[in-house]
Amino acid sequence: MNLPEAMKVSTRALYKNKMRSVLTGLGVIIGIAAVVALVSIGQGVSRKIESQISALGSNLLMILPGSTSMGGVHGGFGSVNTLMPSDAAAIANQIPDALYVSPGVRWVGQTVYQNQNWATSIMGVGSSFPMIRDWPITEGNFFDKEDVDAAANVCAIGQVVKEQLFGGIDPIGKIIKIKNLPFRVVAVMAAKGTAGFGQDQDDMILAPYTTIQKKLLGIDYLSFIFVKAISSSSVNAAQQEIESLLRQRHNIKTGSDNDFTIRNVTDMLAAVMNITGLLTIFLGSIASISLIVGGIGIMNIMLVSVTERTREIGIRMAVGAKRRDILLQFLLEAVTLSTIGGIIGIILGSILSITAGSFIKIPISINVFPVLIAFFFSFAVGVFFGLYPATKASKLNPIEALRYE
Amino acid sequence: MSQDTRQDNNGIVVKVVGLKKTYFLDHVAVPAIKEVNLEIPKGSFVSITGASGSGKTTFMNILGCLDKPTEGEYFLQGTDVSSFTPDRLAEIRNERIGFIFQNFNLLARTSAMENIELPLVYSGTSRHERVKKALELLEMMGLKGFEKHFPQQLSGGQQQRVAIARALVNSPSIILADEPTGNLDTKTSYEIMHVLKKLNEEMGVTIILVTHEHDIAAYAQRIITFRDGLIVSDTVNHEK
């Protein structure tokens, strides 16, 4: 018997037991749908986190005061005030791998324009900040080195702040007040979206760090230093050079812990991708348990089917079916069940993940590769769990099978 | 297997030499057939009778290539099939043997046409050829118009006619009919026997009939009686 004939016999047998076939296939449908949905969502989350971290800027190093473990006491970043503007200047002057350096201070406060007000995050940064963060400017010009040196009352605003304070009005040249201090708006930053760790980067005002330090907060230390390395290959070298420079400047003895932390965005990205990748594999593995349960369901029903159809097997053998004809017939039934279940499962899983993705605002794309893997797996499940019942059928004794009631 | 390996063998279609069949039940040898020697010429109509336990069913299974003898040879149209593998036996059954059973043994929820076509499916015949042959035989059995009917929609007699058509579809060397009238009423039984007799007389089909009913056995030209695994009588039926 050739393959098309065998296919016809098998599909017809499945069709004759519609309800049973649907219920048996459901196991595989759910299994494959779960695998496809969870892997797609996992990949979507990975991509989203990846793009958010990349949005911080390429070749970026972040230097924060404090250390994860300082003398046995675990302090949060920023819990000590060890970073000084002179540190930033030293990095800029002495580290050739550092292309741009921007000191930074952070504050949160109320901003007012005429009768509008808006609570937002205020960052004091250097003039090279837009270059460091790869952040384009849509209107006006970002403040320059002279503004920073002079601690000028100028600022650049994010899209959200523009919307909240100005609505449709052109903000360039307008005066806003922060803590009663007037700032002239000189630039509007391009939309950047939510980045990194949940904060909306467009809900932000950027001003010279000198102005914020001296006029607004009355402090001399920094909240962070951003450094952009010359190239991706020099990021690690820059990190090491900065570390030894800062240790020297802060008089840290050999063997003592740093009083600062350097975060490498590339490393962070790699670490996060590693975790999300593991998470995706983990979710996929859990989902494949349901696929195995579906496969056992197929095996169970195929065994029942073989017993029920013993007489049919006997008749087929009597008129000339060989063992492999019978084997093929029952194997094809199992494989047809599992692959059709697999295809429906892939469609269902895709719909599920896209729907879920739109709810949790994660871009889901269904890739060919996981779909092919899922299809192959459903096929393999059919072969694996169908082989035993089919072999059992093919080994029946025709005389006994014919006599079976 | 192809047709060309069949030999005429002086018109002998079935030749059984020193055939024995022993079953082992819990390591105890139970002889079902002690020793049988038999020749059946082409175009015969032979009845095999005997009480239950006489060995006639075992003998039938061996003739039908469903079982293998423990000892001895079985030549089916000149080919010694007694040592064939299960798959080779399946081929032989497919090409040279037509079965008719007491309980018809048609595939349920499968149309009459498809039931008749079944042996051709396993011999790899094209669909076109299958339909042509099956239709021919269906018509010959007087079942025109019942092509799409399922077995459960047919009477016993009609079902057995479908089974006869299925047995004939591969133009076999022998037709083995195992109690073909066992599930039929007397009138239908005679109708079926009449069909078989006509096939034998008009088309020269070799028929081997297993029955324990004397009036059914009497349709054959030759009556072989089994008892305790041996042939105890082999007579020409003078009524015919």
Side-chain angles (χ1 to χ4, degrees):
Chain A
M1 184 157 65
N2 56 19
L3 202 60
E5 286 293 344
M7 280 293 289
K8 217 168 91 183
V9 171
S10 300
T11 47
R12 191 169 301 180
L14 291 174
Y15 186 73
K16 279 176 190 166
N17 270 310
K18 276 186 272 301
M19 192 62 180
R20 180 191 287 188
S21 302
V22 167
L23 288 176
T24 312
L26 203 58
V28 176
I29 292 175
I30 292 171
I32 289 286
V35 171
V36 169
L38 289 181
V39 169
S40 299
I41 291 171
Q43 285 180 333
V45 169
S46 285
R47 267 195 303 276
K48 173 134 188 178
I49 293 175
E50 187 186 358
S51 72
Q52 284 178 347
I53 292 176
S54 304
L56 287 175
S58 54
N59 312 329
L60 182 69
L61 290 171
M62 288 193 297
I63 304 154
L64 302 161
S67 167
T68 42
S69 74
M70 210 164 57
V73 179
H74 293 252
F77 303 117
S79 59
V80 286
N81 308 322
T82 51
L83 280 184
M84 292 297 160
S86 56
D87 288 332
I91 292 169
N93 294 333
Q94 294 172 40
I95 308 290
D97 283 327
L99 181 62
Y100 296 116
V101 179
S102 166
V105 284
R106 215 183 338 243
W107 192 65
V108 176
Q110 206 72 15
T111 60
V112 181
Y113 172 70
Q114 291 174 353
N115 59 351
Q116 302 291 320
N117 71 93
W118 181 245
T120 186
S121 131
I122 294 133
M123 288 239 279
V125 295
S127 57
S128 58
F129 188 76
M131 275 82 86
I132 292 175
R133 296 289 313 274
D134 303 318
W135 200 342
I137 288 134
T138 50
E139 294 164 52
N141 295 303
F142 202 74
F143 47 84
D144 56 18
K145 196 169 176 303
E146 280 83 63
D147 292 327
V148 174
D149 290 344
N153 288 11
V154 290
C155 70
I157 59 173
Q159 291 290 337
V160 170
V161 176
K162 179 191 169 189
E163 187 61 33
Q164 291 297 333
L165 288 183
F166 296 98
I169 308 163
D170 176 16
I172 301 296
K174 303 286 190 305
I175 303 295
I176 60 171
K177 280 186 178 163
I178 305 171
K179 219 181 172 186
N180 282 326
L181 203 64
F183 282 80
R184 187 163 49 86
V185 177
V186 292
V188 177
M189 309 303 288
K192 194 134 185 168
T194 312
F197 314 95
Q199 104 220 48
D200 187 347
Q201 298 190 100
D202 296 327
D203 188 2
M204 186 180 286
I205 291 175
L206 300 169
Y209 74 97
T210 45
T211 319
I212 304 293
Q213 268 187 326
K214 290 168 193 162
K215 297 184 177 170
L216 209 62
L217 302 176
I219 54 170
D220 60 351
Y221 55 86
L222 297 174
S223 310
F224 56 84
I225 300 171
F226 277 168
V227 177
K228 190 187 186 72
I230 288 173
S231 67
S232 58
S233 55
S234 62
V235 173
N236 288 329
Q239 184 176 355
Q240 279 168 16
E241 288 159 9
I242 292 167
E243 187 177 352
S244 59
L245 178 72
L246 289 183
R247 282 180 72 89
Q248 187 195 325
R249 286 181 56 80
H250 293 187
N251 296 317
I252 297 166
K253 293 189 193 79
T254 314
S256 299
D257 291 325
N258 292 338
D259 61 356
F260 57 89
T261 303
I262 304 177
R263 278 186 181 175
N264 181 333
V265 168
T266 317
D267 286 352
M268 279 164 59
L269 194 61
V272 170
M273 290 316 284
N274 198 5
I275 291 166
T276 55
L278 280 175
L279 194 72
T280 304
I281 291 169
F282 177 69
L283 289 176
S285 310
I286 288 182
S288 34
I289 292 172
S290 59
L291 186 58
I292 290 170
V293 174
I296 294 169
I298 289 186
M299 177 137 97
N300 197 6
I301 286 302
M302 289 311 294
L303 284 173
V304 171
S305 180
V306 168
T307 309
E308 272 182 2
R309 286 150 70 191
T310 301
R311 184 76 159 272
E312 177 195 327
I313 295 164
I315 295 169
R316 289 183 182 276
M317 284 177 159
V319 301
K322 290 177 192 160
R323 287 186 166 180
R324 68 176 162 82
D325 293 325
I326 301 296
L327 184 96
L328 193 66
Q329 180 189 335
F330 282 91
L331 196 57
L332 275 175
E333 270 185 42
V335 170
T336 307
L337 257 184
S338 69
T339 46
I340 290 179
I343 291 168
I344 297 173
I346 287 168
I347 296 169
L348 203 69
S350 306
I351 294 171
L352 212 66
S353 55
I354 289 169
T355 314
S358 73
F359 272 111
I360 57 176
K361 301 223 158 42
I362 282 176
I364 301 290
S365 65
I366 305 301
N367 295 334
V368 180
F369 188 64
V371 164
L372 280 180
I373 295 255
F375 183 77
F376 171 77
F377 258 94
S378 63
F379 180 83
V381 160
V383 173
F384 185 80
F385 290 101
L387 203 55
Y388 174 69
T391 310
K392 203 179 162 203
S394 73
K395 285 189 174 157
L396 285 176
N397 178 334
I399 299 170
E400 283 162 22
L402 277 170
R403 234 182 266 145
Y404 187 85
E405 291 299 330
Chain B
M1 288 299 293
S2 51
Q3 301 280 330
D4 57 359
T5 57
R6 298 186 191 184
Q7 292 158 24
D8 197 13
N9 223 39
N10 301 325
I12 302 296
V13 68
V14 168
K15 186 181 178 189
V16 171
V17 183
L19 188 130
K20 292 177 189 170
K21 180 73 188 181
T22 312
Y23 289 111
F24 289 90
L25 294 170
D26 296 328
H27 304 289
V28 179
V30 182
I33 297 173
K34 285 168 184 161
E35 175 154 356
V36 166
N37 294 289
L38 183 69
E39 282 187 359
I40 297 173
K42 196 169 186 291
S44 304
F45 192 163
V46 181
S47 281
I48 296 176
T49 62
S52 59
S54 62
K56 67 178 196 304
T57 303
T58 305
F59 187 62
M60 176 80 175
N61 286 338
I62 293 171
L63 286 187
C65 292
L66 290 165
D67 206 351
K68 286 201 266 188
T70 315
E71 262 182 65
E73 282 108 47
Y74 166 28
F75 297 93
L76 179 59
Q77 212 146 21
T79 315
D80 182 6
V81 299
S82 44
S83 59
F84 274 17
T85 61
D87 276 356
R88 292 277 277 128
L89 286 177
E91 280 175 10
I92 293 286
R93 287 197 297 272
N94 184 246
E95 290 164 3
R96 302 194 185 179
I97 298 164
F99 287 99
I100 301 166
F101 300 95
Q102 178 175 356
N103 49 18
F104 323 129
N105 272 337
L106 299 173
L107 292 184
R109 289 200 271 176
T110 305
S111 73
M113 274 291 281
E114 284 170 321
N115 263 296
I116 298 171
E117 285 177 43
L118 194 62
L120 295 176
V121 169
Y122 288 106
S123 65
T125 312
S126 73
R127 193 180 146 69
H128 176 77
E129 190 73 10
R130 289 202 313 250
V131 170
K132 198 180 131 206
K133 273 194 162 174
L135 264 178
E136 238 169 59
L137 285 163
L138 200 77
E139 214 164 311
M140 195 170 106
M141 289 296 133
L143 289 171
K144 200 163 190 283
F146 290 93
E147 289 87 347
K148 301 269 182 244
H149 284 61
F150 289 160
Q152 57 267 39
Q153 297 169 311
L154 299 171
S155 71
Q158 287 169 325
Q159 287 189 55
Q160 198 59 300
R161 283 165 195 263
V162 171
I164 293 170
R166 181 181 66 189
L168 288 168
V169 80
N170 255 355
S171 317
S173 307
I174 53 172
I175 295 269
L176 284 173
D178 187 3
E179 303 275 9
T181 59
N183 278 9
L184 301 173
D185 60 54
T186 315
K187 184 171 166 283
T188 318
S189 294
Y190 292 151
E191 279 171 22
I192 291 296
M193 288 317 295
H194 191 72
V195 169
L196 291 178
K197 196 172 153 221
K198 214 172 131 195
L199 282 175
N200 174 252
E201 284 170 359
E202 291 176 12
M203 295 170 65
V205 179
T206 309
I207 297 174
I208 301 170
L209 170 77
V210 173
T211 182
H212 63 275
E213 289 172 81
H214 291 294
D215 56 336
I216 297 300
Y219 275 88
Q221 304 147 343
R222 181 180 169 188
I223 301 172
I224 297 168
T225 310
F226 270 70
R227 189 183 299 152
D228 298 331
L230 293 167
I231 294 176
V232 290
S233 90
D234 185 348
T235 58
V236 175
N237 186 0
H238 293 293
E239 291 170 34
K240 296 288 133 185

